[in-house]
Amino acid sequence: MRTMSVLDMFEFKTDEETGTLPRKEARPKTPLSQIETHEGQPIKIMTRNLSVFYGINQALINVTMDIPQKAVTALIGPSGCGKSTFLRSLNRMNDSILGARTDGKVLIDGINIYAPGINVVALRRLAGMVFQKSNPFPKSIFDNVAYGPRLHGIQNASVLEELVEEALKKAALWEEVKDRLGRSALELSGGQQQRVCIARALAVNPEIVLMDEPASALDPISTAKIEELIHELKKNYTIVIVTHNMQQAARVSDFTGYFYLGSLVEFGTTKKIFTTPDKKETEDYITGRFG
């Protein structure tokens, strides 16, 4: 399977300003958001005045954030502060919620994913999601990982075998399951099931991996394996992770954003956020005086 490109998200071929989008060959090949940041990393995702409403309730309030490429960005804050809503907005999963509405912009490589003409299926291939509760399908391990490639039209058995093996290796699970790929994924331990779900997301060659508390339901040993995996994955992927675990955020992330009541209070390198934050609200949360 070829590498996914942000340009594959477009379905239409006219002008963005009139409600559709230019032809692929007319669009810039160089990302528009090559903004240097910590250690020279360019920005992969930019949000500008991002607001999300569920009916009359506003869950996110004018969030502006730059998420660096091939780094781990952690989103922290108390329950109900908008972290998961923000995460879901990065691949438009909020679209499936009745009454949800999004204002503002989310740009991936400079392309607004909320522009008219965006192919949402292709977007979710580009930015895959791993959920809090492992959710393998009631299928074999092989069929779980091959699900995405098959959905995108790949039927050749040898190609599928290669993709499944590669994804399971990336998810640090191949050696544990290579002799039982035909067995049900539901027979695996909780930590292994979560890594199957990560492999399933990786099998379609995304550029971004979104993780919503991927280790919150796991034991300490399985959690450590997921954290080790995240360290490896950031070499090739941009990772955004929601976590309630302060220690986990400090261990796995390069950048951290603190959310409260739908607003982004502070964003910066994890070292700065956890040692010398600019905002007293952030310091109070990090030190346990609040939240």
Side-chain angles (χ1 to χ4, degrees):
M1 179 181 293
R2 67 180 178 82
T3 301
M4 181 68 176
S5 164
V6 70
L7 299 179
D8 291 316
M9 294 190 299
F10 294 104
E11 296 176 306
F12 301 110
K13 297 184 178 180
T14 53
D15 184 72
E16 184 173 5
E17 298 302 319
T18 61
T20 52
L21 292 159
R23 298 174 61 87
K24 285 185 181 179
E25 55 270 25
R27 283 185 231 120
K29 296 294 189 291
T30 302
L32 302 179
S33 55
Q34 295 285 323
I35 301 170
E36 294 303 311
T37 182
H38 182 60
E39 296 183 353
Q41 293 164 294
I43 300 300
K44 182 66 174 177
I45 306 169
M46 304 166 67
T47 71
R48 294 294 180 264
N49 299 315
L50 179 66
S51 295
V52 176
F53 301 82
Y54 299 126
I56 62 172
N57 298 314
Q58 188 168 4
L60 278 185
I61 305 168
N62 296 325
V63 175
T64 292
M65 183 190 294
D66 291 341
I67 297 175
Q69 177 176 289
K70 293 185 180 177
V72 180
T73 297
L75 310 178
I76 62 173
S79 296
C81 67
K83 304 183 301 295
S84 292
T85 293
F86 179 83
L87 190 76
R88 292 194 301 266
S89 73
L90 301 183
N91 70 351
R92 293 185 52 170
M93 290 203 70
N94 292 322
D95 289 10
S96 60
I97 299 175
L98 186 64
R101 176 170 62 86
T102 301
D103 291 339
K105 292 182 177 180
V106 176
L107 301 105
I108 298 178
D109 291 340
I111 303 295
N112 182 14
I113 67 170
Y114 285 89
I118 292 295
N119 181 332
V120 178
V121 173
L123 167 63
R124 292 174 187 162
R125 178 182 157 199
L126 181 84
M129 178 77 78
V130 177
F131 297 94
Q132 176 178 1
K133 187 178 185 299
S134 58
N135 59 340
F137 302 140
K139 300 173 179 286
S140 70
I141 297 167
F142 184 94
D143 287 341
N144 264 272
V145 182
Y147 181 83
R150 282 173 172 155
L151 191 66
H152 290 282
I154 296 178
Q155 301 298 330
N156 183 284
S158 61
V159 173
L160 286 171
E161 288 172 7
E162 182 178 339
L163 287 170
V164 168
E165 179 176 348
E166 181 182 4
L168 287 169
K169 284 179 176 176
K170 288 179 180 177
L173 191 58
W174 174 251
E175 292 300 325
E176 297 174 41
V177 303
K178 63 182 180 181
D179 296 324
R180 45 178 172 153
L181 295 177
R183 302 284 293 274
S184 172
L186 301 178
E187 296 177 9
L188 299 173
S189 69
Q192 289 173 323
Q193 287 187 22
Q194 190 64 300
R195 281 182 284 154
V196 165
C197 295
I198 292 171
R200 190 171 67 201
L202 298 178
V204 293
N205 288 327
E207 295 181 9
I208 299 162
V209 180
L210 310 174
M211 297 184 168
D212 194 352
E213 297 191 69
S216 65
L218 303 180
D219 61 83
I221 294 175
S222 296
T223 296
K225 287 185 177 181
I226 295 294
E227 291 181 4
E228 290 170 11
L229 175 58
I230 290 170
H231 275 295
E232 286 300 310
L233 291 177
K234 77 174 183 179
K235 296 174 183 176
N236 297 300
Y237 304 95
T238 300
I239 298 174
V240 187
I241 178 172
V242 166
T243 179
H244 280 292
N245 187 320
M246 293 295 103
Q247 292 76 25
Q248 182 175 77
R251 285 192 301 265
V252 306
S253 69
D254 304 291
F255 298 85
T256 296
Y258 169 52
F259 283 76
Y260 181 62
L261 296 179
S263 295
L264 177 64
V265 177
E266 188 169 352
F267 179 80
T269 65
T270 296
K271 181 178 180 180
K272 186 177 191 313
I273 293 293
F274 277 81
T275 56
T276 56
D278 292 330
K279 303 289 183 67
K280 186 178 186 301
E281 304 99 295
T282 308
E283 182 181 356
D284 287 347
Y285 184 74
I286 294 293
T287 58
R289 290 195 289 269
F290 167 75

